[in-house]
């Protein structure tokens, strides 16, 4: 990689700050991972470098995952101190999650960037649909409950 077009630097800095803030706000409000905002922002930023386009999505996902290490450790410790972690559930899910991480890391290294983009977009769309329908059902249940009380 030879570098970055310096004319793009202000735009890329604005994208970085805006996506960081937006990712944090969405994570706090909706409980979604900031990666839903960070990965596309990093992809945009890396696309404006002379980086090999085939590696752009891998680097975007990898960089986003690396940021999660520090934020999740800090957040987990805070929740643990407040007794807000279900340790039984954590123990039950630890092995399947570890297996998924290993398989995902192995696949991420061999799957083409285009396939990763399609997977990311599909998962984002499915999560969005799930949140919309769950919210609509919860609202409907709330109205039904308030009419019977």
């Amino acid at each position: 990689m030879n570098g970055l077009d310096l004319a793009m630097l202000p735009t890329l800095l604005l994208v970085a700050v805006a996506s960081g803030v937006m990712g944090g706000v969405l994570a706090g409000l909706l409980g979604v991972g900031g990666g839903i905002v960070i990965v596309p922002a990093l992809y945009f930023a890396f696309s404006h470098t002379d980086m090999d386009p085939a590696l752009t999505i891998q680097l975007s996902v990898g960089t986003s995952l690396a940021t999660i290490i520090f934020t999740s450790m800090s957040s987990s410790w805070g929740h643990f101190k407040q007794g807000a972690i279900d340790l039984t559930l954590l123990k039950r899910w630890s092995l399947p999650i570890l297996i998924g991480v290993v398989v995902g890391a192995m696949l991420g290294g061999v799957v083409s960037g285009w396939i990763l983009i399609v997977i990311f977009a599909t998962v984002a769309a499915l999560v969005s649909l799930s949140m919309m329908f769950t919210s609509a059902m919860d609202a409907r249940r709330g109205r039904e409950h308030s009419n019977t009380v």
Side-chain angles (χ1 to χ4, degrees), residues 12-93:
L12 296 177
L13 288 174
L14 181 62
V15 166
V17 170
S19 64
V21 169
M22 183 64 103
V25 167
L26 287 175
L29 280 176
L30 305 175
V32 298
I36 201 79
V37 174
I38 303 296
V39 170
L42 288 171
Y43 184 78
F44 170 81
F46 293 149
S47 295
H48 288 83
T49 68
D50 60 355
M51 178 184 301
D52 179 0
L55 300 177
T56 306
I57 190 68
Q58 281 95 340
L59 189 62
S60 301
V61 170
T63 303
S64 177
L65 289 172
T67 66
I68 292 169
I69 294 168
F70 303 106
T71 57
S72 65
M73 285 173 41
S74 171
S75 179
S76 295
W77 180 247
H79 286 289
F80 178 77
K81 289 192 303 188
Q82 294 178 357
I85 293 180
D86 184 339
L87 294 176
T88 303
L89 182 64
L90 178 63
K91 289 175 187 173
R92 214 177 299 147
W93 282 28

Side-chain angles (χ1 to χ4, degrees), residues 90-106:
L90 178 63
K91 289 175 187 173
R92 214 177 299 147
W93 282 28
S94 293
L95 183 60
I97 289 172
L98 181 61
I99 292 169
V101 166
V102 171
V103 170
M106 290 178 0

Side-chain angles (χ1 to χ4, degrees), residues 6 11 27 41 47 66 106 109 116 135 138:
L6 291 180
T11 301
S47 295
M106 290 178 0
L116 288 178
S135 296
D138 288 346

Side-chain angles (χ1 to χ4, degrees), residues 32 36 122-132:
V32 298
I36 201 79
T122 302
V123 169
L126 292 173
V127 168
S128 299
L129 289 171
S130 174
M131 291 176 75
M132 284 186 343

Side-chain angles (χ1 to χ4, degrees), residues 106-128:
M106 290 178 0
L107 288 175
V110 297
V111 171
S112 78
W114 175 246
I115 291 174
L116 288 178
I117 291 171
V118 170
I119 291 170
F120 183 85
T122 302
V123 169
L126 292 173
V127 168
S128 299

